[in-house]
Amino acid sequence: DTGVSQDPRHKITKRGQNVTFRCDPISEHNRLYWYRQTLGQGPEFLTYFQNEAQLEKSRLLSDRFSAERPKGSFSTLEIQRTEQGDSAMYLCASSSQGWDEKLFFGSGTQLSVL
Amino acid sequence: AQSVTQPDIHITVSEGASLELRCNYSYGATPYLFWYVQSPGQGLQLLLKYFSGDTLVQGIKGFEAEFKRSQSSFNLRKPSVHWSDAAEYFCAVGASTSYGKLTFGQGTILTVHP
């Protein structure tokens, strides 16, 4: 169990550019979640996958955001035409579905949009 | 809609003193409640959770929390704080459809004085 890995740890980009983040969940976990955390706030749910199916998306996830989880393994979160308001920590978490579901979080990707 | 309120943004205690972090929730059904801890540069770590049953739940690192339905509260306690407990603490409520889709409070930063 190597934990949830996120790459990169930090990303600095200019407004209008596209960025993509990657999350590698714990290998046996079938659920994968994306959260966004801004300074001084708790994480906010963005979306989640069960295997390769994206089951729910928050209204926070505008059309510029897209997430994928091909083959039910790693996941990517892409932000197109970044805006300064997208600056945040993007957190990934994984879990095994069940009554005792417990999230394991990665360390996050810190995005700064200049 | 579910929500979580952590009334204290920042709490300072002396090492060895007792600790109580407050959490109030709003949820229409039986809540699934969690406390997470986040240290700088680290992912969120689950301290404890309440799904049902005994309203006093024990967690890791000597923490416990008590679910009080009448007060819509789920306060976190520790009898004797250690310097290593300094971190940010988040209370969260989960949806019955997916325990991993969490609504977090804004967090309480804990500072421990020697």
Side-chain angles (χ1 to χ4, degrees):
Chain A
D1 180 357
T2 57
V4 178
S5 299
Q6 292 190 245
D7 184 70
R9 291 294 300 272
H10 303 275
K11 178 70 177 178
I12 300 174
T13 190
K14 293 182 179 179
R15 188 176 52 189
Q17 298 294 303
N18 299 342
V19 294
T20 300
F21 312 139
R22 178 182 170 118
C23 172
D24 286 274
I26 294 172
S27 58
E28 63 268 28
H29 285 177
N30 65 339
R31 283 190 170 179
L32 186 148
Y33 297 79
W34 285 100
Y35 282 81
R36 181 173 66 188
Q37 185 178 19
T38 53
L39 198 62
Q41 301 297 319
E44 296 173 298
F45 169 79
L46 293 179
T47 187
Y48 89 95
F49 293 82
Q50 183 163 303
N51 300 312
E52 65 276 9
Q54 189 173 17
L55 296 188
E56 190 167 346
K57 294 193 294 186
S58 164
R59 57 184 169 81
L60 294 175
L61 214 62
S62 75
D63 291 343
R64 297 184 297 105
F65 288 70
S66 62
E68 294 182 342
R69 193 184 182 196
K71 303 179 182 178
S73 55
F74 72 92
S75 176
T76 58
L77 178 67
E78 180 183 16
I79 309 174
Q80 296 182 328
R81 305 181 304 280
T82 52
E83 302 172 356
Q84 288 187 325
D86 297 330
S87 296
M89 176 75 81
Y90 290 84
L91 299 169
C92 176
S94 70
S95 70
S96 294
Q97 179 188 2
W99 70 271
D100 194 29
E101 182 172 6
K102 185 168 72 173
L103 291 187
F104 291 83
F105 281 86
S107 298
T109 294
Q110 180 67 53
L111 173 66
S112 298
V113 181
L114 305 179
Chain B
Q2 57 203 55
S3 65
V4 176
T5 302
Q6 294 179 245
D8 304 306
I9 295 174
H10 196 171
I11 283 185
T12 300
V13 299
S14 298
E15 191 169 18
S18 63
L19 172 70
E20 182 169 25
L21 302 182
R22 296 183 291 164
C23 172
N24 293 98
Y25 69 89
S26 173
Y27 189 64
T30 300
Y32 302 93
L33 296 161
F34 306 81
W35 274 99
Y36 281 84
V37 61
Q38 186 177 40
S39 299
Q42 304 293 317
L44 286 153
Q45 182 182 22
L46 179 66
L47 287 175
L48 48 80
K49 63 184 187 292
Y50 170 79
F51 279 11
S52 64
D54 193 347
T55 57
L56 184 64
V57 293
Q58 302 297 321
I60 62 171
K61 303 184 180 186
F63 285 93
E64 67 178 25
E66 186 171 12
F67 170 60
K68 293 185 177 179
R69 183 186 298 275
S70 61
Q71 298 176 20
S72 298
S73 69
F74 189 58
N75 294 349
L76 182 71
R77 301 193 294 248
K78 186 170 185 178
S80 178
V81 170
H82 188 262
W83 64 265
S84 60
D85 293 325
E88 190 162 17
Y89 292 79
F90 293 94
C91 181
V93 61
S96 59
T97 52
S98 166
Y99 307 143
K101 181 188 172 188
L102 303 178
T103 298
F104 285 86
Q106 71 178 64
T108 297
I109 298 171
L110 175 65
T111 298
V112 181
H113 280 168

